[in-house]
Amino acid sequence: MKKTFLLIALLFCSFTYAQIIFEKGYFIDNIGKRTECYIENMDWRNNPTMFNYKITLAEKEVKIENILGVSEFGIDNQSMYKRFDVNIERSQILTSNLQKTKSPIWKSETLFLHALVTGEASLYHYVDGNVSKYFYETKKTPIEQLIYIRYLGDGGKDGLGSFSESIQQNNQFRQQLLNNVNCGMTEKDFKSLEYNRNTLVKHFMTYNACAGTPTAKSTVNYYAATEGKREFFVLRAQAGIYSAKAGISDPQNYYNKSTDLTQMIFKVGLESEFILPFNKGSWSIIVCPAYQKFSATKNFTGFVSNVGFANNGNPVHHTVKMDYSSIEVPFGIRRYFFINSASRVFVNASYVIDLSNGGTLEFTNTEGLANAADKMNISSRNNFAIGVGYGYKRFSGELKYNFSRQLSERLSWDIGYSSVGLNLGFKIL
């Protein structure tokens, strides 16, 4: 199994150099020159400051442009980034990182902003780690940030007479939109407006449909163009065949009951995959409950270890039997490397929670030695697993290695259970 683990580790490293996909796009430099090219589509989670491109797909050389020399770039029918000099406040919404003032703390920066909607009024998004901010511009209003700040404010006195803090919100973005992105709406309509992508995109689309002239159908919903192509959830039926091993270590060593049990076992499960909404679906979270059963018997000979006594070195004929079944529930992360639209290679790592249905380990011997016989219950623990696989359309195959998990309920005994095998999967949803 060590060789198998090494093979998987090497494959994991080699696949980090898998084929890079470049897609048709363009960029505009500082003097307004537009260059048609092919851009490496990273489906950026954080707004980029640079990008890789080729003039033709046949080119081997990958060129780089950055925010200093490019005013705009995009991937056809998918995304657009525009460079702006903006004032940005970088407050976060995580409770542990809230600021203590509702007033924006401004900083001047040059940023690529991700266009979500363009038209009579345009909506942009900026993400950097836990910072998520929206910007807008209209024909009359220059680019500015839509202000929303969660902060720790004065909550008044508590029951003990001490002053407390409470989480409060600065929803100035509603007033900004009421004043500048409003077509026949009342103040009441803005009171329920939320500071999130779906709500804001819908508002800007509604405004552009209302404010635009009938002949100027120039609104582009980049968000819809991207999200409509995404796959967020996959369900697969899986079946696997594994070589499983239980390495048993006898702490007393008097009758030398240390041995290994091996068996080919089958696993059946159902894999749920939640695809993360960035990097073109290259990352996902996986959960795959699977049932497995190990039942093996072995006859072997041990030798008495009793230095200084007459029976030292005498053979003892053991029979060991182990029955163990469980439902394994691995929670993991998967990384895809796309070869083309139908084929992909993937690697994943998981933490496996083992829900044991119970089991026993029992030793008997033909000599009828009472102290050589033993029986103990199995008490399972959790472990880690890694895998590498290949998918084609609805089918997938994965070579998986489960690191050793401890099954002994006695602290003195060691029963390490590990397995390596092949999973076959079929996408049912």
Side-chain angles (χ1 to χ4, degrees):
M1 287 191 180
K2 290 183 178 179
K3 292 182 179 179
T4 303
F5 167 65
L6 179 61
L7 174 61
I8 292 176
L10 291 173
L11 287 172
F12 187 99
C13 294
S14 66
F15 287 140
T16 60
Y17 298 98
Q19 180 176 343
I20 299 172
I21 297 177
F22 286 79
E23 299 187 34
K24 188 73 174 69
Y26 71 95
F27 66 88
I28 300 174
D29 65 18
N30 291 333
I31 61 174
K33 179 185 175 183
R34 180 184 176 105
T35 300
E36 300 293 331
C37 62
Y38 291 85
I39 295 176
E40 183 186 358
N41 190 351
M42 302 297 294
D43 192 21
W44 297 268
R45 180 185 181 276
N46 295 329
N47 288 43
T49 58
M50 58 185 293
F51 59 90
N52 299 329
Y53 75 98
K54 298 179 179 180
I55 297 300
T56 67
L57 287 176
E59 277 187 337
K60 292 185 178 180
E61 180 186 2
V62 177
K63 301 181 178 67
I64 300 174
E65 283 289 352
N66 61 50
I67 197 169
L68 298 178
V70 173
S71 63
E72 176 182 321
F73 76 94
I75 296 172
D76 291 1
N77 303 315
Q78 293 190 50
S79 62
M80 180 180 77
Y81 288 85
K82 291 184 69 173
R83 186 186 67 195
F84 291 99
D85 295 321
V86 296
N87 288 323
I88 182 173
E89 63 83 21
R90 288 177 168 267
S91 63
Q92 299 185 29
I93 62 173
L94 294 177
T95 302
S96 58
N97 294 330
L98 295 183
Q99 62 185 47
K100 294 188 176 182
T101 174
K102 70 176 183 180
S103 301
I105 302 173
W106 296 110
K107 183 180 179 181
S108 297
E109 298 186 32
T110 300
L111 305 172
F112 274 137
L113 299 183
H114 184 198
L116 300 180
V117 177
T118 59
E120 291 290 319
S122 297
L123 175 67
Y124 301 91
H125 194 198
Y126 177 77
V127 178
D128 182 16
N130 292 324
V131 175
S132 176
K133 300 297 176 182
Y134 293 93
F135 293 77
Y136 81 105
E137 66 176 348
T138 71
K139 303 298 183 183
K140 298 180 180 179
T141 307
I143 190 79
E144 68 178 17
Q145 184 178 329
L146 290 168
I147 299 171
Y148 171 76
I149 301 173
R150 290 183 83 227
Y151 65 98
L152 290 175
D154 184 4
K157 291 186 177 181
D158 59 23
L160 299 177
S162 301
F163 285 97
S164 63
E165 292 180 325
S166 64
I167 298 176
Q168 301 179 23
Q169 298 179 356
N170 176 350
N171 290 304
Q172 188 178 336
F173 77 96
R174 293 172 180 167
Q175 187 65 47
Q176 292 172 278
L177 296 179
L178 172 66
N179 294 341
N180 302 311
V181 189
N182 183 1
C183 186
M185 302 173 71
T186 66
E187 185 174 353
K188 183 180 179 180
D189 296 323
F190 287 86
K191 288 185 177 180
S192 60
L193 200 62
E194 297 296 326
Y195 194 81
N196 62 57
R197 188 161 49 181
N198 287 332
T199 302
L200 292 175
V201 165
K202 182 179 179 181
H203 177 78
F204 275 75
M205 290 297 295
T206 301
Y207 172 82
N208 286 348
C210 172
T213 61
T215 56
K217 298 184 182 299
S218 58
T219 296
V220 179
N221 187 344
Y222 287 97
Y223 175 59
T226 315
E227 296 302 295
K229 299 178 181 178
R230 293 189 189 277
E231 189 174 46
F232 292 99
F233 177 75
V234 173
L235 189 66
R236 291 186 185 88
Q238 280 198 345
I241 182 169
Y242 283 74
S243 173
K245 174 183 175 182
I248 304 166
S249 177
D250 174 11
Q252 301 300 327
N253 208 36
Y254 185 91
Y255 290 114
N256 197 2
K257 291 181 283 189
S258 297
T259 189
D260 291 335
L261 283 173
T262 59
Q263 186 188 36
M264 297 301 295
I265 66 171
F266 295 95
K267 296 185 183 183
V268 290
L270 198 62
E271 181 184 80
S272 298
E273 181 175 15
F274 305 88
I275 300 171
L276 300 178
F278 52 84
N279 290 138
K280 302 225 9 120
S282 295
W283 294 92
S284 65
I285 304 296
I286 52 174
V287 183
C288 184
Y291 176 78
Q292 61 108 40
K293 179 176 177 63
F294 181 92
S295 181
T297 301
K298 177 181 177 181
N299 297 317
F300 69 100
T301 301
F303 295 90
V304 175
S305 177
N306 189 14
V307 178
F309 289 83
N311 66 345
N312 184 49
N314 287 350
V316 181
H317 300 94
H318 297 291
T319 298
V320 59
K321 181 180 181 181
M322 178 173 162
D323 289 303
Y324 160 59
S325 62
S326 71
I327 296 177
E328 298 176 330
V329 186
F331 293 86
I333 187 164
R334 174 171 291 164
R335 174 70 160 98
Y336 282 105
F337 303 92
F338 296 99
I339 300 172
N340 52 49
S341 60
S343 301
R344 68 267 181 206
V345 172
F346 62 86
V347 291
N348 42 247
S350 305
Y351 180 71
V352 183
I353 297 175
D354 193 58
L355 306 176
S356 175
N357 294 327
T360 58
L361 177 68
E362 184 175 7
F363 286 91
T364 58
N365 67 91
T366 57
E367 289 84 3
L369 300 173
N371 292 334
D374 203 350
K375 184 175 182 179
M376 67 191 77
N377 293 324
I378 283 174
S379 178
S380 181
R381 295 169 180 81
N382 304 328
N383 65 297
F384 291 92
I386 58 173
V388 58
Y390 172 76
Y392 179 74
K393 295 184 178 179
R394 302 177 74 89
F395 299 92
S396 63
E398 176 191 9
L399 181 64
K400 189 172 184 179
Y401 178 76
N402 288 278
F403 290 89
S404 179
R405 74 170 68 109
Q406 186 57 234
L407 300 184
S408 174
E409 68 171 5
R410 301 180 187 175
L411 295 178
S412 56
W413 280 78
D414 187 286
I415 308 173
Y417 181 78
S418 59
S419 63
V420 60
L422 177 67
N423 283 331
L424 297 178
F426 179 75
K427 178 183 172 182
I428 57 178
L429 183 64

